Amino acid sequence: MTANPTRVLVLNSGSSSVKYQLLDMADGARLAVGLVERIGEETSRLAHTPLATGGAKRETEAPIADHEAALKAVARELAADGLGLDSPELAAIGHRVVHGGQKFTAPTVITDEVVAEIERLIPVAPLHNPANITGIRTAQALRPDLPQVAVFDTAFHTTMPESAARYAIDVETADAHRIRRYGFHGTSHAYVSRETAKLLGKDPSEVNVIVLHLGNGASASAVRGGRCVDTSMGLTPLEGLVMGTRSGDIDPAVIFHLARNGGMSIDEIDSLLNKKSGLIGLCGDNDMREIRRRIDEGDERAALAFDVYVHRLKKYIGAYYAVLGKVDAVAFTAGVGENAAPVREAAVAGLEELGLAVDAGLNAVRADEPRLISPEYARVAVAVVPTDEELEIATQAYALVSA
Ligand code: AMP
């Protein structure tokens, strides 16, 4: 029996996928990473990389019927490297749970009551919470003795004041249907805002940070002294920035118009705004690399998509600057934020009066480390801070079970 188990398995269960990482919290080392995709289809695929042994990535394609079969396949892969789920060194399983509503403000050890509450939140997270619950139930069946911890995407945003969290609609109607702004990507915003403070040599309580999480999904947050005071996603991840396939902010009357005059059903409009809008709706591509390539070739649709994307981003930087009053840093993160120098440059261009500038040389540098890209003279630091949601989930889960 190992005296102090230090490993945490992080599970991110989607509707047809499971992403996982095994971390050792003694030193933060990643022991294994992997992904099961297309669960329930003929062409399911499992990709597993045993980092602990330095082994090569193993990929298998075979039908995987459901999440239980997926997790068992993951367990087999881990066991093949001596990292099996039965290991006494495993301290906890940390689950990414998308929607924790107002109730879950911190990571939580999962009990039946916790699962019941996550279930009660399904109406506001119909795509995500059911998959998260399936992942939890399956992991519990495999290791019933092990603490399972839920780390909520919404938790970091529960510190938002009512003035930011409330929609200006009838209060009784809103409350009856739990309609308010919850925000998402919370583990990333928490991690990146803390890492940004560290980069500035300050405690999180001493700095105000605007975090721009720009992945395929994208959100901004205003973080004052380590606490979130506003964020761009709302009741669902549809609100806010222009994303890979989501529209972000639109006039809600667009929906009435499409239903009344466009003959579209609610499901069709839902799909339009979540899956066929944003960058892909504007130019047919949602990958910023491809969009930049097309712009370089003179493609006008791609240029329009880029401009709409950046315009919205700039509006949120301005809005959160005003919300915070004083800003110490703007931090770019996730796939686009970490890699797309032209997006960073364009988002900050013309904001010198706000103390914001980007140094072209520093912005062009590629690195995996957090780094500053603003010139020495700039009043506000502009940073690129790679996010690490799995490490954050493992850190939070481990802190809870080892306390
Ligand atoms: P994420 O959701 O954080 O994994 O981000 C995925 C997105 O990041 C992709 O859809 C691309 O738009 C973007 N991305 C990834 N790598 C690059 C890169 N090297 N340059 C520009 N954009 C990138």
Side-chain angles (χ1 to χ4, degrees):
M1 188 65 197
T2 307
N4 289 309
T6 53
R7 291 180 184 168
V8 178
L9 178 67
V10 176
L11 292 180
N12 182 351
S13 305
S15 56
S16 65
S17 69
V18 177
K19 280 190 226 155
Y20 63 94
Q21 288 198 4
L22 180 67
L23 294 103
D24 193 335
M25 300 319 290
D27 55 4
R30 244 169 275 263
L31 305 177
V33 303
L35 167 68
V36 190
E37 288 176 292
R38 302 194 291 268
I39 295 171
E41 294 177 31
E42 283 295 308
T43 56
S44 315
R45 176 173 164 273
L46 193 160
H48 175 86
T49 309
L51 300 170
T53 60
K57 187 177 192 176
R58 300 196 291 268
E59 294 189 59
T60 39
E61 286 210 18
I64 294 176
D66 51 26
H67 281 72
E68 187 180 342
L71 215 52
K72 283 186 174 158
V74 171
R76 275 197 300 279
E77 290 292 337
L78 289 167
D81 300 304
L83 302 168
L85 284 191
D86 54 353
S87 165
E89 289 173 82
L90 203 55
I93 298 181
H95 296 267
R96 175 185 182 219
V97 179
V98 166
H99 215 309
Q102 283 180 275
K103 190 177 169 97
F104 296 112
T105 60
T108 306
V109 173
I110 297 170
T111 61
D112 286 344
E113 180 43 44
V114 169
V115 175
E117 183 60 27
I118 298 170
E119 246 161 20
R120 276 195 281 278
L121 288 161
I122 286 176
V124 286
L127 296 179
H128 295 105
N129 276 24
N132 299 155
I133 292 168
T134 307
I136 290 168
R137 288 292 191 215
T138 310
Q140 282 177 327
L142 287 177
R143 273 299 299 269
D145 57 314
L146 201 64
Q148 315 259 338
V149 177
V151 178
F152 299 93
D153 250 21
T154 46
F156 184 61
H157 304 303
T158 55
T159 51
M160 279 196 292
E162 280 297 286
S163 54
R166 276 267 170 206
Y167 290 110
I169 60 174
D170 173 67
V171 171
E172 279 75 31
T173 306
D175 289 352
H177 297 282
R178 299 194 194 212
I179 294 171
R180 60 188 280 114
R181 309 190 56 257
Y182 295 99
F184 299 89
H185 292 146
T187 33
S188 178
H189 287 282
Y191 176 83
V192 170
S193 57
R194 265 203 337 267
E195 288 294 307
T196 305
K198 208 189 276 178
L199 186 65
L200 300 181
K202 299 256 174 77
D203 189 80
S205 64
E206 299 172 314
V207 292
N208 293 347
V209 185
I210 297 173
V211 178
L212 304 170
H213 177 111
L214 312 177
N216 197 33
S219 61
S221 68
V223 183
R224 174 179 286 132
R227 291 163 67 84
C228 178
V229 294
D230 205 351
T231 194
S232 60
M233 285 178 167
L235 173 73
T236 76
L238 184 55
E239 192 178 347
L241 299 174
V242 176
M243 311 183 207
T245 67
R246 297 189 193 115
S247 62
D249 297 334
I250 56 162
D251 180 344
V254 168
I255 296 163
F256 319 141
H257 183 78
L258 288 173
R260 290 185 187 127
N261 303 310
M264 291 176 73
S265 70
I266 289 296
D267 285 344
E268 284 169 338
I269 300 170
D270 188 330
S271 167
L272 174 80
L273 297 179
N274 273 297
K275 299 189 180 144
K276 297 177 204 150
S277 297
L279 293 171
I280 211 162
L282 287 163
C283 76
D285 269 308
N286 62 333
D287 191 313
M288 193 53 81
R289 284 164 288 203
E290 187 58 17
I291 291 170
R292 290 302 310 174
R293 196 191 58 71
R294 285 174 54 187
I295 293 171
D296 289 343
E297 288 178 350
D299 186 320
E300 288 182 10
R301 288 276 298 276
L304 172 69
F306 185 85
D307 290 349
V308 173
Y309 184 94
V310 168
H311 179 76
R312 185 84 48 85
L313 196 52
K314 193 172 277 194
K315 275 186 13 183
Y316 269 91
I317 294 173
Y320 288 172
Y321 207 119
V323 165
L324 291 168
K326 172 180 175 291
V327 177
D328 297 285
V330 174
F332 287 89
T333 194
V336 175
E338 291 168 29
N339 297 298
V343 169
R344 298 191 297 253
E345 182 191 337
V348 170
L351 301 184
E352 291 82 5
E353 286 289 323
L354 298 180
L356 280 160
V358 159
D359 177 282
L362 294 173
N363 192 31
V365 172
R366 293 198 149 270
D368 295 332
E369 298 300 311
R371 58 200 183 274
L372 293 177
I373 58 168
S374 42
E376 286 268 334
Y377 64 80
R379 268 189 290 124
V380 180
V382 181
V384 179
V385 179
T387 193
D388 195 336
E389 289 170 277
E390 288 78 15
L391 176 62
E392 179 67 16
I393 291 170
T395 304
Q396 292 192 14
Y398 186 65
L400 192 62
V401 300
S402 61

